[in-house]
Amino acid sequence: MDTAIATRIVLSGYYGFDNSGDEAVLQSILLALEEQGKAQGVRFVPVVLSIDPEKTSRTYGVESVHRMKLGALFRAIRSADGLISGGGSLLQDETSSKTIPYYLTVLKIAQWLGKPTFVYSQGIGPVHRPRFYRWIRTVFNRCRFLSVRDEESKQLLRRMNVAAEIAVVPDPVMGMPMAAAHQVAEPLISAAPVVGVSVRYWNEDRSELQGLAESLRTMLDQSDAHLRFLPFHLPSDASASQYVISLVGDRYANRITVAADVTHPQHMLAEVGRCDMLIGMRLHSLIYAASQRVPMVGISYDPKIDQFLSRLNMSAAADTRTVDANALASHALNLLAHRRSWQEEKAHLIEALKSEAHIPAQQIASFFAEGRDVR
């Protein structure tokens, strides 16, 4: 007889937008809650706030409601036992001034309804508008458990005078397991090393992608590597991938492939796991690589890239302001040649991050299992 406590938990995040990184965050949180809930006698019933609830329900087998329909959102929170905000970079105003108010409002509704709230491994910032500080402080100080994915996020919250205890944990995707073997694509048929490439548009003049394309041409000239482009955010990353491929040139067409229309995060994890090395602009391409012990070369467009790499005692090989094509190619070729040494050197750091990634789910399960504050 199942004696586990049934606990309805609403998940708020950037879900349903076909961004593989954020979908991986959702998948990772769902799997971690299931695992940690079983360990502590709690049966979580997730309700996901999504821009495409039907697709989210179909993909993950969970309840889902539209994140922008206030009535449905309110009813979902009112009928739940708690709410999780995160992970990902939710509290930032770099992309829009509306992002922070949305996620704080969702948290505030839950708190107003008397529901315990939890912040799950978020990356905080940048926050350019000081008027948000007091709102963030007020809402976060009422959360039952706060966790952020890097020390910089914690320090930013401290500068906002958030007084609550703050745990620094890895991105939840570090703890995401590989899917069952039958669910993933067939192995790549290539005796040559496979270099995964994750790109996105950033500079208006595309100078970063032009520099990367030059670097990739050098790599292809000086090795027998095969390039496997991995679009993480559809359709924009697929377009960016094709742009880079066109710059690399037809001469190398038989050594370049694209992982087309991969939307399930565990399937993209499998794609990354089949690579011998990865060159990535997307944060979660680097996190996927780390979790599968795939040596990586990071190209930074945002501090979150540098913050993650620093946890592996690494730094970005280039950033989008200036891409030194020759230096990037030299760095990547050297890493490709010494990838076994990299794996041995980073193994203990990676295992620690994978273990720590489950801490928020452990704490949330503990809260509901024991009926007390986890702080």
Side-chain angles (χ1 to χ4, degrees), residues 252-298:
Y252 306 99
N254 64 337
R255 295 167 62 190
I256 299 175
T257 57
V258 180
D261 300 321
V262 179
T263 57
H264 195 287
Q266 286 180 298
H267 296 174
M268 183 61 85
L269 181 67
E271 286 283 351
V272 173
R274 295 186 296 165
C275 296
D276 296 285
M277 189 183 78
L278 180 133
I279 300 173
M281 290 178 66
R282 286 287 183 186
L283 171 64
H284 283 97
S285 73
L286 302 174
I287 293 173
Y288 279 27
S291 75
Q292 299 304 304
R293 297 192 184 183
V294 173
M296 71 193 75
V297 176

Side-chain angles (χ1 to χ4, degrees), residues 216-236:
L216 293 175
R217 280 197 303 272
T218 300
M219 291 181 62
L220 291 168
D221 283 337
Q222 297 183 14
S223 75
D224 60 347
H226 175 113
L227 302 183
R228 179 73 165 169
F229 280 79
L230 307 169
F232 268 67
H233 192 175
L234 299 175
S236 62

Side-chain angles (χ1 to χ4, degrees), residues 203-220:
N203 297 342
E204 289 187 10
D205 64 359
R206 308 297 186 232
S207 57
E208 79 287 14
L209 298 183
Q210 293 161 15
L212 174 60
E214 183 180 345
S215 180
L216 293 175
R217 280 197 303 272
T218 300
M219 291 181 62
L220 291 168

Side-chain angles (χ1 to χ4, degrees), residues 48 50 52-65:
V48 179
S50 171
D52 189 345
E54 291 184 3
K55 184 175 182 179
T56 296
S57 292
R58 185 170 62 251
T59 302
Y60 303 105
V62 296
E63 294 183 40
S64 184
V65 300

